[in-house]
Amino acid sequence: MLSTVESHNAFNIKALTTRLLRNDWKRTLRLTSGLVLLAFVTMHLVNHALGLIGIAQMSVMQEWRWVIWKSRPGTWLLYGSFFVHVSFTLARILRRGTFRMPFKEALQLILGLSIPFLIIGHVAGTRLAGDMYGLDESYVAVLHRLWPKSAVIQTVAVLVVWFHGIIGFHYIFTAKRSVRTIMDDLLWAVAILVPALALAGFLVSGRDAQPYDGEPTIDPAVISLVNRTEFYGRLGAFGLLAAVGGVLGYREIGRRRRRIITVNYVGHGEVMVRPGQSLLEISRDQRIPHPSLCGGRGRCATCRVLVTKGLQDLPPIGVAERTLLEQIAAPPGVRLACQVHPFRDLSAQILLPVLGEHTHAAQSEHAGWGLEEQATVLVVDLRAFTNLVNTQVPYELVVLLNRFQEEMIQSVRAHHGHVDIVVVDGLTAVFKKDGHKDKGSRDALKAARDMFKSIEALNVQFQSALSLPLRIGIGIHTGRILTARVGAMQAQAVTLALGETVAVASKLEAASKDMMSDLVISRETALAAGLPIMQSRLRDIYVLGHENAISAYPIRGLGELAAVT
């Protein structure tokens, strides 16, 4: 992580050098080569899109592209990036311990492996044919040769190359908060518009180029050379993939001969595996839910685990992993699962759950459209929510908020309460007496007690991701409420609690900050629950629109709720 001085001096050579050295140079090189190729493809597709205006405009931009990519530095950069990216991609495939992966990651891999077979004909018939055999590379000549017999294969190639690059771009920046808005609002729009406009331009310009007759008759020998170049290019790509497959098969045979080790996932049980896979790959192979926002590339920290046994037997932490763990201030024992390759027995706890893997209990329906009754209202709010949003990685924030809401809702329903309103950082719940004088108020206090216990558990689980422990404030008041079903249609109606009791509970929650207490209840709630109170601790709280002051009682510690059973 850059120092304060370095962060304010982006052009400081020392700062840039330090940052580069602290990152994995292989990952940086692979990333750079991929971005160069994506830039080339983007310019090429934008050039195609100009076909909607005319071939003349396409030719003008082509001249500008040639200034960049046909220059000696541009040529070396382009072909060098291609071979570097392919080499690192094949090396990454060879390092894989399993091919069980999320759909998006599998799609990118399949698209990437198919690219050489799709583009070799186009490359041989344009760039190589022009440089080596003197064929006309102008847009009108190339379009005349391609349209319409090669239209389908060119369309498929464009889509495959483009979306392979876009998925990779998404993996690079998806965990970076600074470009989150761009990713959400711009990336996918560009991902659709650019190839759509390019294909439309190809369609229009391809038809416009058909009357062209300025290209001289191509020597059959040149055509034969181009065809042979295309054939041997595809054969070479196939042979390379076959060699990679052979190495993977040989390595798998060797892995199966190794002794079996035991990996214990806290909360998921033990699995018996053979060494060679990363901890993330073991999770995927064993179908254990394990998040990985960057696809196991070591660019995010969502796959991190707490190693509870066997830490000393793991290989040393690499530069890239250490840098990332320092950025999130990870405590000792936390490692990135995608970077850990256990060779001895290990026990680890996955620190972040996978989004979407949860269930929700069905909410109970209220019978009437409007009913006035006695009830207890509980309002809970997450403290310092703005600070939490500004400091957490987006994925972690979403996971944390989902867990927070689930725990709070479960605490309410476990004590027969009804969740009235759920907001991002809190909720309002209603507890009815159901014929028992003190039932609603006592149930609300029990739910509050469980909420505090849940927050303690969340702080333990997310301690490596939180800059400050989570805290909540709760206000509880007992009084008359109006239970109303609001909605023009029966199917769309929602049940809400209305009235000043709700407003008072919300005011008590807000007052808990000034009263230096995480739980403030009204005197009415304490009396209804039979909770002993100290008169000296009662404070008057004034609520807008309420004639008399509300006597508020701060609860100091869960010990005071021990009497609530």
Side-chain angles (χ1 to χ4, degrees):
M1 188 181 297
L2 294 176
S3 66
T4 304
V5 175
E6 291 171 334
S7 64
H8 289 287
N9 188 6
F11 298 97
N12 185 290
I13 301 299
K14 182 179 178 181
L16 294 177
T17 303
T18 302
R19 185 171 184 176
L20 179 62
L21 292 176
R22 286 176 64 85
N23 284 292
D24 186 347
W25 67 269
K26 295 180 182 178
R27 186 174 63 182
T28 302
L29 193 58
R30 184 175 68 244
L31 168 62
T32 303
S33 64
L35 290 177
V36 169
L37 295 175
L38 184 60
F40 173 80
V41 172
T42 302
M43 293 178 67
H44 197 46
L45 295 186
V46 171
N47 205 161
H48 279 357
L50 287 178
L52 292 170
I53 303 175
I55 295 180
Q57 286 72 23
M58 296 176 73
S59 299
V60 171
M61 182 172 179
Q62 184 184 47
E63 293 294 333
W64 284 102
R65 286 198 305 114
W66 280 356
V67 170
I68 300 173
W69 301 111
K70 278 208 165 188
S71 65
R72 186 177 296 274
T75 299
W76 279 99
L77 179 63
L78 179 61
Y79 287 117
S81 297
F82 176 78
F83 285 110
V84 165
H85 199 68
V86 170
S87 300
F88 278 118
T89 299
L90 294 178
R92 188 167 183 270
I93 292 175
L94 288 173
R95 290 196 302 268
R96 297 192 73 94
T98 180
F99 282 90
R100 182 164 302 180
M101 64 191 83
F103 172 76
K104 183 170 58 177
E105 189 177 341
L107 178 62
Q108 188 197 25
L109 180 61
I110 294 171
L111 293 178
L113 293 178
S114 66
I115 287 175
F117 300 95
L118 292 171
I119 69 170
I120 188 64
H122 181 64
V123 175
T126 53
R127 185 74 179 259
L128 294 179
D131 292 345
M132 298 175 63
Y133 310 127
L135 263 66
D136 188 356
E137 291 184 72
S138 66
Y139 252 112
V140 64
V142 173
L143 289 169
H144 181 75
R145 294 197 295 266
L146 292 178
W147 189 268
K149 62 180 181 179
S150 299
V152 174
I153 188 68
Q154 292 301 314
T155 299
V156 173
V158 164
L159 295 177
V160 167
V161 172
W162 176 254
F163 283 107
H164 171 79
I166 285 297
I167 294 174
F169 189 85
H170 172 75
Y171 271 129
I172 293 168
F173 295 108
T174 189
K176 295 182 180 294
R177 187 185 301 108
S178 59
V179 295
R180 179 176 55 190
T181 302
I182 298 176
M183 290 293 299
D184 292 342
D185 300 339
L186 184 61
L187 176 61
W188 296 116
V190 172
I192 300 299
L193 284 175
V194 169
L197 293 174
L199 292 176
F202 176 59
L203 173 66
V204 172
S205 59
R207 291 184 302 185
D208 292 344
Q210 290 315 293
Y212 172 71
D213 58 0
E215 186 176 31
T217 302
I218 302 176
D219 188 343
V222 173
I223 296 178
S224 177
L225 287 172
V226 171
N227 290 337
R228 275 190 289 171
T229 302
E230 180 180 347
F231 172 76
Y232 286 116
R234 287 200 174 102
L235 185 63
F238 179 79
L240 188 60
L241 288 182
V244 170
V247 172
L248 289 174
Y250 178 79
R251 192 189 65 187
E252 181 64 18
I253 293 174
R255 192 174 71 85
R256 290 180 180 273
R257 292 178 178 176
R258 296 173 183 165
R259 67 180 184 86
I260 295 176
I261 63 172
T262 300
V263 177
N264 176 39
Y265 288 89
V266 177
H268 297 281
E270 294 182 348
V271 296
M272 312 296 288
V273 298
R274 298 185 187 275
Q277 297 175 303
S278 71
L279 197 57
L280 177 62
E281 290 172 334
I282 294 173
S283 302
R284 290 176 172 178
D285 229 13
Q286 301 295 325
R287 301 185 184 277
I288 295 174
H290 201 153
S292 177
L293 200 59
C294 69
R297 291 166 170 81
R299 296 190 186 121
C300 70
T302 53
C303 71
R304 64 182 178 268
V305 296
L306 176 63
V307 180
T308 58
K309 179 183 177 182
L311 182 64
Q312 69 281 358
D313 296 326
L314 293 176
I317 300 178
V319 176
E321 182 182 3
R322 184 181 302 279
T323 301
L324 197 54
L325 292 175
E326 289 176 356
Q327 288 176 355
I328 64 171
V334 173
R335 296 289 302 270
L336 301 185
C338 64
Q339 305 297 310
V340 171
H341 292 74
F343 283 86
R344 295 187 180 180
D345 292 351
L346 183 76
S347 180
Q349 178 183 359
I350 300 173
L351 295 178
L352 292 178
V354 176
L355 287 180
E357 298 194 1
H358 52 269
T359 58
H360 297 278
Q363 291 189 5
S364 60
E365 289 290 334
H366 291 268
W369 281 88
L371 180 66
E372 188 176 7
E373 55 190 330
Q374 186 82 2
T376 298
V377 176
L378 178 150
V379 176
V380 58
D381 180 70
L382 187 61
R383 301 283 199 227
F385 178 67
T386 301
N387 179 69
L388 192 67
V389 172
N390 292 334
T391 57
Q392 297 301 120
V393 173
Y395 183 92
E396 294 176 347
L397 178 65
V398 175
V399 171
L400 182 59
L401 290 177
N402 275 276
R403 286 296 311 280
F404 167 73
Q405 287 189 357
E406 287 177 349
E407 295 293 343
M408 298 301 101
I409 291 173
Q410 182 176 340
S411 297
V412 171
R413 292 174 177 163
H415 297 286
H416 317 290
H418 165 69
V419 178
D420 190 63
I421 298 175
V422 178
V423 293
V424 175
D425 57 340
L427 59 81
T428 300
V430 176
F431 299 82
K432 298 182 180 180
K433 61 180 184 178
D434 292 334
H436 300 278
K437 180 180 179 181
D438 60 354
K439 187 177 187 307
S441 54
R442 296 179 73 85
D443 283 342
L445 292 174
K446 292 176 186 178
R449 182 177 59 195
D450 285 357
M451 287 177 178
F452 287 117
K453 292 180 179 179
S454 296
I455 290 298
E456 291 178 357
L458 288 178
N459 280 326
V460 172
Q461 182 177 355
F462 288 89
Q463 62 180 343
S464 63
L466 294 170
S467 57
L468 292 173
L470 297 177
R471 286 188 60 192
I472 57 174
I474 299 177
I476 304 177
H477 180 55
T478 302
R480 305 292 294 180
I481 66 169
L482 173 63
T483 303
R485 298 195 67 189
V486 179
M489 300 178 64
Q490 181 81 8
Q492 299 175 348
V494 293
T495 304
L496 299 176
L498 307 175
E500 72 174 20
T501 299
V502 180
V504 170
S506 180
K507 183 66 176 180
L508 293 175
E509 182 279 316
S512 65
K513 301 174 185 178
D514 298 329
M515 300 178 72
M516 304 296 290
S517 174
D518 292 332
L519 172 60
V520 175
I521 65 176
S522 66
R523 185 173 182 273
E524 288 80 0
T525 297
L527 293 176
L531 193 68
I533 60 176
M534 299 176 59
Q535 296 294 327
S536 59
R537 279 165 53 185
L538 285 173
R539 297 290 185 271
D540 287 341
I541 300 295
Y542 292 91
V543 180
L544 184 64
H546 199 278
E547 295 181 0
N548 301 316
I550 300 295
S551 294
Y553 186 74
I555 300 294
R556 298 174 180 173
L558 294 179
E560 293 193 25
L561 297 178
V564 182
T565 57

